[in-house]
Amino acid sequence: MMKNLFMISFMVLLLSGCMKNTGKERKFCLQGTWLLQKVEYPAGEVYDNFLKDKNTYCRIYGEDSMYYQCKLKTTDRGLVIMPTSMIQTTLINKGGGEMLYFEDGDPHPLTLSGDTAMTIQHIGVLYTWKRANDIDVEWGQELRYIIADEMKKAGLDTPQTYVLSAKERQQQKTIHWLTYAICLIILVAIHYVVTSRKSRQRLRLQLQQIQEEHEKRSQHVKQAIMADEKQFFASDEYNNLYERITNGQPLTKEEWTDVEQMLKTVYPGFTSQLRGLHHMSELEYQTCLLIKLHIPPKDIANVLIRDTSTISTVRSRLYKKVFGRKGSTKEWDDFILSIGV
């Protein structure tokens, strides 16, 4: 009875978490995976079990005031484990760096070596345990489940040995990442399809609006537009530009801006409708501007420093992007000449 009262009155920290760090000093926490590194007997005998390909003991302290213990061997192929026990634990901080460790109610002195090693005294024997963060991250949860399940089995004389394959774990990781990549690709594909569908719907609506605008124009408006066009193409400003372009002289950035402004005075809605049709490269956009100015394809190629075949490809490709079907270069040119007026 007195023992239970003592336990209740002094139990201030369970293995469900670490001691809170109220100062700058890092506080000790049992939670995690530990490997038995060394055993020292009162007579001076020392056994070092923390060696690769040798059996040692592994403890996993969880958040449920319980540790899960098994025999363990680390190999290149993975882990070989034999579950051994599940024991209720309590860690009491007595202050001044002193700690008392309880296993199923039995107290044992506990000495720390930083946060990476601890030594627990049990009947005069010192057991030194070392943190194994790599095993905890990779296998901790799985080890805890296996040990708990094995210890709950009734009437089992000899615990079963388990092999946790590193190769299988790697394969699981590969499958996981492949599944993630496939899901990502599917999501991107769905997004592309939905976006493309919306873009095509928007384009169809825009083309329909352009066509309706042409059909709604009165004869008086059409005649006024034709008069403005005739005056523009007869102007000195246009003739000077045409002469320069046909002579193959490249235009500066400022001159391309002047070309846009020149077209806006005659075709107010042309550049905005052109930009709205499709996201165009600079080459595609400038080609369309020159088509609108009635510049022949060979002269377009010269001023843009491209082959005539390249300009032909640009025009036919634009037609397919906008209308979703193959078309000739003339069909594209006729379309450009029809909009914005």
Side-chain angles (χ1 to χ4, degrees):
M1 181 67 177
M2 291 298 295
K3 182 177 180 180
N4 291 336
L5 290 175
F6 175 81
M7 287 290 297
I8 294 173
S9 60
F10 285 93
M11 188 182 299
V12 294
L13 180 66
L14 300 177
L15 289 180
S16 57
C18 302
M19 291 179 293
K20 293 185 178 179
N21 190 356
T22 57
K24 294 184 179 179
E25 181 183 358
R26 184 180 179 184
K27 299 300 182 181
F28 178 70
C29 174
L30 269 179
Q31 186 177 337
T33 300
W34 301 78
L35 293 180
L36 182 60
Q37 184 181 30
K38 186 167 58 175
V39 180
E40 300 180 57
Y41 290 92
E45 297 175 280
V46 178
Y47 296 93
D48 187 350
N49 292 326
F50 192 65
L51 296 173
K52 189 177 181 181
D53 296 330
K54 296 289 185 180
N55 286 321
T56 187
Y57 281 90
C58 172
R59 285 183 178 180
I60 304 100
Y61 290 88
E63 298 180 353
D64 51 2
S65 302
M66 182 83 67
Y67 79 66
Y68 305 78
Q69 182 166 289
C70 64
K71 287 184 179 180
L72 178 145
K73 180 193 292 186
T74 59
T75 68
D76 293 333
R77 298 178 59 186
L79 298 181
V80 179
I81 68 168
M82 179 184 290
T84 58
S85 59
M86 254 174 39
I87 296 178
Q88 191 76 27
T89 62
T90 304
L91 181 66
I92 296 179
N93 185 0
K94 299 176 64 177
E98 295 186 21
M99 294 187 181
L100 202 57
Y101 173 77
F102 290 82
E103 290 187 7
D104 283 344
D106 295 328
H108 304 281
L110 185 148
T111 305
L112 304 178
S113 298
D115 190 43
T116 60
M118 65 176 177
T119 300
I120 300 174
Q121 183 176 335
H122 184 76
I123 316 178
V125 182
L126 299 178
Y127 297 88
T128 300
W129 300 82
K130 183 176 180 180
R131 278 196 187 277
N133 292 328
D134 54 342
I135 293 178
D136 186 59
V137 171
E138 187 74 13
W139 307 99
Q141 191 73 8
E142 192 168 353
L143 287 172
R144 185 156 51 246
Y145 288 153
I146 290 175
I147 296 168
D149 183 66
E150 190 72 19
M151 293 299 102
K152 290 176 182 178
K153 293 178 180 178
L156 187 63
D157 296 329
T158 304
Q160 184 176 347
T161 299
Y162 296 83
V163 179
L164 303 181
S165 171
K167 182 178 180 180
E168 289 181 3
R169 178 57 60 88
Q170 186 59 43
Q171 289 174 344
Q172 290 175 358
K173 286 183 177 180
T174 302
I175 293 172
H176 169 77
W177 285 110
L178 283 175
T179 302
Y180 176 80
I182 291 172
C183 291
L184 182 61
I185 291 172
I186 292 174
L187 289 175
V188 171
I190 292 173
H191 175 74
Y192 174 78
V193 170
V194 172
T195 303
S196 298
R197 183 176 299 172
K198 289 182 178 179
S199 179
R200 287 194 298 270
Q201 291 174 346
R202 178 190 58 80
L203 184 56
R204 282 197 297 268
L205 179 60
Q206 187 173 3
L207 292 174
Q208 182 180 349
Q209 290 173 344
I210 292 174
Q211 184 178 359
E212 289 175 354
E213 286 178 7
H214 280 273
E215 294 175 351
K216 289 179 180 179
R217 286 177 186 155
S218 64
Q219 189 63 29
H220 177 73
V221 173
K222 291 180 181 179
Q223 289 177 352
I225 292 174
M226 291 176 62
D228 289 340
E229 285 183 319
K230 185 176 181 181
Q231 183 178 357
F232 168 71
F233 287 112
S235 67
D236 292 337
E237 185 180 18
Y238 172 77
N239 289 327
N240 291 335
L241 177 64
Y242 184 87
E243 183 179 356
R244 178 167 183 176
I245 291 175
T246 54
N247 288 333
Q249 299 180 25
L251 301 181
T252 64
K253 184 176 181 180
E254 291 75 15
E255 288 172 325
W256 278 112
T257 302
D258 292 339
V259 169
E260 285 183 306
Q261 293 301 322
M262 186 185 301
L263 285 170
K264 286 180 180 180
T265 60
V266 186
Y267 311 111
F270 172 70
T271 55
S272 60
Q273 288 180 352
L274 184 61
R275 290 287 192 187
L277 290 173
H278 190 272
H279 178 70
M280 295 185 181
S281 66
E282 185 178 24
L283 174 62
E284 291 172 334
Y285 182 67
Q286 290 176 350
T287 298
C288 293
L289 293 182
L290 295 176
I291 292 172
K292 194 66 173 176
L293 289 172
H294 294 188
I295 305 299
K298 64 180 183 61
D299 293 322
I300 294 177
N302 288 335
V303 75
L304 295 180
I305 316 176
R306 296 290 195 280
D307 294 333
T308 305
S309 59
T310 300
I311 300 303
S312 297
T313 300
V314 167
R315 291 147 67 203
S316 58
R317 184 175 58 203
L318 280 171
Y319 188 92
K320 185 174 182 180
K321 287 179 179 179
V322 171
F323 291 96
R325 61 179 186 274
K326 290 184 179 181
S328 65
T329 55
K330 184 179 183 306
E331 285 178 302
W332 178 253
D333 292 352
D334 291 342
F335 172 69
I336 291 298
L337 293 174
S338 70
I339 64 175
V341 296

